[in-house]
Amino acid sequence: MIDTISTEIAEGEERIRLEVAEGVAVLTLCRPDKLNGWSWESSRQLGLLADRIRFDPSVRAVLLRAEGRAFCAGIDVTAPGGAITGASTAERTRNYYEGIRWVHERFTVLARLPQPVVAAVQGYCLGFGFELALMADVRVAARDAVFALPEARLGVAVDAGGDLRIAREAGAGWAKFLALTGRRIDVATAERLGLVQVVVEKEDLEASSRALAEEIAANAPLAVQGIKRAVDAYADAALPAALDRVAMTAALTLASDDAREGYTAKAERRPPRFTGG
């Protein structure tokens, strides 16, 4: 796992870039060669940059976007520190549990920003990428966007609360359907389920999502932030306790034999043989 104490981002190691102009903070996932794959370091940088936004009085809205042909294709399995170890299965499970709770805390900084967050999604939006997009207040998607929570196919649980947020937005049945099957859905289905609010042509995604963020930023800050807090207080009333359960379930599955089999089978391009252990 990465050094979580550092508050700096080394030059050339940026996973996320922050730019602020005209009342809008733009967070850009900037590893297009890796399809913006997520890592422990990505989570650290997200929390760090979100904290900077939180206390910047010039920022009235946030645009979350990505470079390249994918928003985020999920976990970058090649990233340093990806596997958590322990002297025993119990210790490894405990370490995963604390690591996932730490990731939840970083994501929560973004989700609970006083400023509204607009996500601009193109291409693959899978796993952690889908969960990240779901933490935005409003989602704009290009017509080529594809969404999925494929974790169960790899032998692990959904680990950042994406299934809970789908339940909030689209209902428990759809949350279970998508998380239990790992199926991909296109942007039309995502819009029908209420997981996407605006659909645009791919070439219009940048301009449309930025215009929406600027439209929100032009409104009265106290009113905008108060509306966000009130809606979130209602919609997320049960979320903290449920996220703790998510962290424990994810930790247990990540330390399991089935998870090892799931990732091995994917690498070998064969169906996994899960045993429940």
Side-chain angles (χ1 to χ4, degrees):
M1 190 172 174
I2 51 88
D3 176 10
T4 61
I5 304 302
S6 173
T7 58
E8 300 299 325
I9 299 174
E11 186 175 353
E13 293 301 319
E14 298 91 348
R15 270 62 172 175
I16 308 171
R17 186 174 62 248
L18 171 62
E19 300 165 289
V20 178
E22 299 180 355
V24 176
V26 181
L27 286 170
T28 301
L29 307 187
C30 55
R31 303 269 283 189
D33 57 319
K34 298 285 189 179
L35 298 181
N36 298 310
W38 204 257
S39 64
W40 296 108
E41 177 62 15
S42 302
S43 295
R44 187 186 75 85
Q45 293 186 20
L46 177 69
L48 181 63
L49 296 177
D51 269 340
R52 292 178 184 172
I53 291 168
R54 179 180 184 180
F55 295 106
D56 187 339
S58 72
V59 175
R60 295 188 174 189
V62 179
L63 175 61
L64 176 64
R65 60 179 296 278
E67 292 179 345
R69 61 190 180 91
F71 178 74
C72 173
I75 292 290
D76 177 6
V77 296
T78 68
I84 286 183
T85 60
S88 65
T89 301
E91 183 183 21
R92 186 165 172 250
T93 301
R94 178 264 179 200
N95 291 344
Y96 264 123
Y97 173 63
E98 291 302 328
I100 294 164
R101 288 182 65 228
W102 174 84
V103 170
H104 288 179
E105 290 163 4
R106 307 283 83 71
F107 274 33
T108 297
V109 175
L110 174 70
R112 293 187 180 174
L113 280 173
Q115 303 96 333
V117 179
V118 175
V121 179
Q122 79 275 12
Y124 293 124
C125 186
L126 312 177
F128 253 96
F130 194 6
E131 297 186 88
L132 179 64
L134 286 165
M135 290 177 203
D137 299 290
V138 181
R139 286 162 292 281
V140 181
R143 294 198 185 277
D144 71 334
V146 178
F147 305 85
L149 295 175
E151 286 86 345
R153 294 187 176 192
L154 298 172
V156 298
V158 178
D159 39 11
D163 46 357
L164 306 182
R165 290 180 170 87
I166 292 173
R168 179 189 67 189
E169 303 285 346
W174 276 108
K176 292 174 184 177
F177 177 81
L178 294 176
L180 293 175
T181 65
R183 287 192 189 182
R184 296 182 179 185
I185 58 172
D186 60 17
V187 73
T189 304
E191 183 183 31
R192 178 166 58 85
L193 296 181
L195 302 177
V196 165
Q197 282 68 54
V198 182
V199 176
V200 297
E201 299 300 329
K202 185 177 180 179
E203 60 269 23
D204 296 329
L205 179 63
E206 180 72 21
S208 296
S209 57
R210 192 176 291 267
L212 178 56
E214 291 174 351
E215 181 180 352
I216 294 169
N219 291 330
L222 293 179
V224 166
Q225 294 177 21
I227 290 166
K228 173 174 175 172
R229 281 193 296 270
V231 173
D232 284 349
Y234 169 75
D236 296 340
L239 196 59
L243 279 174
D244 189 70
R245 181 166 294 187
V246 164
M248 179 53 71
T249 302
L252 289 169
T253 56
L254 284 163
S256 70
D257 292 337
D258 275 352
R260 188 179 300 110
E261 164 63 12
Y263 281 101
T264 300
K266 183 178 181 182
E268 296 176 354
R269 299 181 181 276
R270 60 171 174 81
R273 295 181 289 271
F274 295 131
T275 63

